[in-house]
Amino acid sequence: SQQGEEDPQALSIQEGENATMNCSYKTSINNLQWYRQNSGRGLVHLILIRSNEREKHSGRLRVTLDTSKKSSSLLITASRAADTASYFCATDALAGNKLTFGGGTRVLVKP
Amino acid sequence: KAGVTQTPRYLIKTRGQQVTLSCSPISGHRSVSWYQQTPGQGLQFLFEYFSETQRNKGNFPGRFSGRQFSNSRSEMNVSTLELGDSALYLCASAPLGGNTEAFFGQGTRLTVV
């Protein structure tokens, strides 16, 4: 079963615009990670935010985490055509490295 | 450092056959996890190995099994293949026992006909 849901399921924007997607989860977590996947290929790790962190930046990416609402958001600023991909959030709650994924957001960036 | 390597990249098998997929983690990583990705069910956790021991297991039938070797390389095996086993199988490696980034390979695309 999937831990959470991502919203929206799909997003279409123009190059240069910002893209925001949200992830909600159900149980307490240790960390939340965001991944990108291009056309059914492997997952590329984007960023990890720990449960005691509220915001994290990496390049054009900004991630927030609200543990009281059990939700996270990923913002991609100044999007590029190369950002076209599916984006997944993943949480780990148990000991070990078992990740539970959301359903993903498909992002299309039009040139 | 080389990334996570999965072999083979593509595989076509017939119903009833068995298949073995291989994953070589990033050098120094001791945790290897396996995931199945399908359009209908999304990304689902199969199992995790750490220091040659299975530590977590997902909700999959016993036809799905795995193991990890002393060099941290891992294999997963699916016996008596069914059409529904067609999926992208992804392997992830992590350096420690938890609370760290997990890095994925390119996956093995398995098609069962």
Side-chain angles (χ1 to χ4, degrees), chain B residues 6-29:
Chain B
Q6 291 188 246
T7 57
R9 290 290 309 279
Y10 302 93
L11 207 47
I12 300 175
K13 289 287 189 179
T14 304
R15 271 182 302 173
Q17 287 187 314
Q18 73 165 20
V19 67
T20 299
L21 312 181
S22 179
C23 173
S24 292
I26 293 170
S27 178
H29 285 194

Side-chain angles (χ1 to χ4, degrees), chain A residues 11-55:
Chain A
L11 185 58
S12 180
I13 56 174
Q14 294 293 138
E15 211 166 22
E17 293 181 338
N18 295 342
T20 300
M21 58 210 85
N22 304 295
C23 164
S24 62
Y25 56 91
K26 298 173 184 173
T27 63
S28 297
I29 62 171
N30 293 323
N31 309 295
L32 186 144
Q33 303 184 56
W34 284 91
Y35 289 88
R36 184 185 75 230
Q37 184 179 42
N38 293 85
S39 300
R41 303 187 67 182
L43 298 172
V44 175
H45 186 269
L46 296 177
I47 198 164
L48 177 150
I49 186 165
R50 303 195 185 282
S51 59
N52 61 353
E53 296 176 313
R54 292 297 167 258
E55 187 171 314

Side-chain angles (χ1 to χ4, degrees), chain A residues 1-2 30-31 33 35 37 40-43 45 48 50 88 92 94-99 101, chain B residues 31 33 35 37 41-43 48 55-56 88 94 96-102 104-106 109:
Chain A
S1 62
Q2 295 187 350
N30 293 323
N31 309 295
Q33 303 184 56
Y35 289 88
Q37 184 179 42
R41 303 187 67 182
L43 298 172
H45 186 269
L48 177 150
R50 303 195 185 282
F88 294 90
D92 66 54
L94 302 174
N97 290 304
K98 174 184 177 180
L99 295 178
F101 284 86
Chain B
S31 168
S33 303
Y35 295 82
Q37 185 178 27
Q41 299 298 316
L43 280 152
E48 182 210 1
R55 184 161 59 178
N56 284 301
L88 180 67
L96 301 173
N99 294 323
T100 59
E101 293 91 342
F104 284 78
Q106 287 297 301
R109 172 75 62 184

